[in-house]
PDB file of all heavy atoms in Angstrom:
ATOM      1  N   CYS A 115     101.416  90.235  90.027  1.00 98.00           N
ATOM      2  CA  CYS A 115     102.068  90.601  91.338  1.00 98.00           C
ATOM      3  C   CYS A 115     103.588  90.151  91.333  1.00 98.00           C
ATOM      4  O   CYS A 115     103.795  89.006  91.125  1.00 98.00           O
ATOM      5  CB  CYS A 115     101.272  89.967  92.425  1.00 98.00           C
ATOM      6  SG  CYS A 115     102.077  90.367  94.104  1.00 98.00           S
ATOM      7  N   ASP A 117     105.358  91.213  94.102  1.00 97.00           N
ATOM      8  CA  ASP A 117     105.586  91.684  95.519  1.00 97.00           C
ATOM      9  C   ASP A 117     106.176  90.596  96.426  1.00 97.00           C
ATOM     10  O   ASP A 117     106.450  89.507  95.996  1.00 97.00           O
ATOM     11  CB  ASP A 117     104.334  92.343  96.185  1.00 97.00           C
ATOM     12  CG  ASP A 117     104.706  93.601  96.934  1.00 97.00           C
ATOM     13  OD1 ASP A 117     105.637  93.563  97.679  1.00 97.00           O
ATOM     14  OD2 ASP A 117     104.010  94.566  96.722  1.00 97.00           O
ATOM     15  N   ILE A 118     106.289  90.977  97.674  1.00 97.00           N
ATOM     16  CA  ILE A 118     107.060  90.147  98.611  1.00 97.00           C
ATOM     17  C   ILE A 118     106.843  88.677  98.719  1.00 97.00           C
ATOM     18  O   ILE A 118     107.733  87.883  98.983  1.00 97.00           O
ATOM     19  CB  ILE A 118     107.109  90.794 100.092  1.00 97.00           C
ATOM     20  CG1 ILE A 118     105.647  90.914 100.670  1.00 97.00           C
ATOM     21  CG2 ILE A 118     107.690  92.203 100.074  1.00 97.00           C
ATOM     22  CD1 ILE A 118     105.646  91.323 102.149  1.00 97.00           C
ATOM     23  N   VAL A 119     105.532  88.217  98.534  1.00 97.00           N
ATOM     24  CA  VAL A 119     105.389  86.827  98.455  1.00 97.00           C
ATOM     25  C   VAL A 119     105.518  86.128  97.189  1.00 97.00           C
ATOM     26  O   VAL A 119     106.207  85.192  96.942  1.00 97.00           O
ATOM     27  CB  VAL A 119     103.964  86.503  99.159  1.00 97.00           C
ATOM     28  CG1 VAL A 119     103.613  84.981  99.239  1.00 97.00           C
ATOM     29  CG2 VAL A 119     103.782  87.146 100.477  1.00 97.00           C
ATOM     30  N   CYS A 120     104.869  86.823  96.113  1.00 98.00           N
ATOM     31  CA  CYS A 120     104.816  86.189  94.772  1.00 98.00           C
ATOM     32  C   CYS A 120     106.215  86.270  94.237  1.00 98.00           C
ATOM     33  O   CYS A 120     106.507  85.385  93.254  1.00 98.00           O
ATOM     34  CB  CYS A 120     103.863  87.064  93.971  1.00 98.00           C
ATOM     35  SG  CYS A 120     102.198  86.846  94.396  1.00 98.00           S
ATOM     36  N   CYS A 153     101.318  93.930  95.526  1.00 98.00           N
ATOM     37  CA  CYS A 153     100.526  92.854  96.161  1.00 98.00           C
ATOM     38  C   CYS A 153      99.086  92.954  95.763  1.00 98.00           C
ATOM     39  O   CYS A 153      98.488  93.982  95.941  1.00 98.00           O
ATOM     40  CB  CYS A 153     100.672  92.814  97.677  1.00 98.00           C
ATOM     41  SG  CYS A 153      99.644  91.615  98.450  1.00 98.00           S
ATOM     42  N   LEU A 154      98.532  91.801  95.305  1.00 98.00           N
ATOM     43  CA  LEU A 154      97.052  91.745  94.909  1.00 98.00           C
ATOM     44  C   LEU A 154      96.274  91.189  96.051  1.00 98.00           C
ATOM     45  O   LEU A 154      94.983  90.961  95.822  1.00 98.00           O
ATOM     46  CB  LEU A 154      97.005  90.905  93.620  1.00 98.00           C
ATOM     47  CG  LEU A 154      97.605  91.696  92.426  1.00 98.00           C
ATOM     48  CD1 LEU A 154      97.773  90.556  91.335  1.00 98.00           C
ATOM     49  CD2 LEU A 154      96.696  92.895  91.931  1.00 98.00           C
ATOM     50  N   GLY A 155      96.743  91.017  97.170  1.00 98.00           N
ATOM     51  CA  GLY A 155      96.049  90.517  98.337  1.00 98.00           C
ATOM     52  C   GLY A 155      95.552  88.980  98.117  1.00 98.00           C
ATOM     53  O   GLY A 155      94.447  88.598  98.672  1.00 98.00           O
ATOM     54  N   GLN A 156      96.298  88.200  97.478  1.00 97.00           N
ATOM     55  CA  GLN A 156      96.065  86.796  97.225  1.00 97.00           C
ATOM     56  C   GLN A 156      97.211  86.010  97.659  1.00 97.00           C
ATOM     57  O   GLN A 156      97.456  84.975  97.104  1.00 97.00           O
ATOM     58  CB  GLN A 156      95.779  86.513  95.684  1.00 97.00           C
ATOM     59  CG  GLN A 156      94.829  87.397  95.038  1.00 97.00           C
ATOM     60  CD  GLN A 156      93.369  86.983  95.060  1.00 97.00           C
ATOM     61  OE1 GLN A 156      93.143  85.800  95.480  1.00 97.00           O
ATOM     62  NE2 GLN A 156      92.453  87.806  94.812  1.00 97.00           N
ATOM     63  N   CYS A 157      97.867  86.548  98.615  1.00 97.00           N
ATOM     64  CA  CYS A 157      99.275  85.973  98.963  1.00 97.00           C
ATOM     65  C   CYS A 157      99.204  84.546  99.300  1.00 97.00           C
ATOM     66  O   CYS A 157     100.215  83.801  99.164  1.00 97.00           O
ATOM     67  CB  CYS A 157      99.901  86.809  99.994  1.00 97.00           C
ATOM     68  SG  CYS A 157      99.414  88.610  99.931  1.00 97.00           S
ATOM     69  N   ALA A 162     100.130  85.468  91.997  1.00 97.00           N
ATOM     70  CA  ALA A 162      98.746  85.958  91.695  1.00 97.00           C
ATOM     71  C   ALA A 162      98.765  87.032  90.614  1.00 97.00           C
ATOM     72  O   ALA A 162      99.735  87.720  90.424  1.00 97.00           O
ATOM     73  CB  ALA A 162      98.226  86.683  92.892  1.00 97.00           C
TER      74      ALA A 162
HETATM   75  S1  LIG B  24      99.538  88.652  96.069  1.00 65.23           S
HETATM   76 FE1  LIG B  24     101.519  88.653  95.584  1.00 65.23          FE
HETATM   77  S2  LIG B  24     102.495  89.431  97.463  1.00 65.23           S
HETATM   78 FE2  LIG B  24     100.448  89.357  97.858  1.00 65.23          FE
END
Side-chain angles (χ1 to χ4, degrees):
C115 174
D117 216 317
I118 57 172
V119 180
C120 292
C153 176
L154 291 167
Q156 310 273 347
C157 331

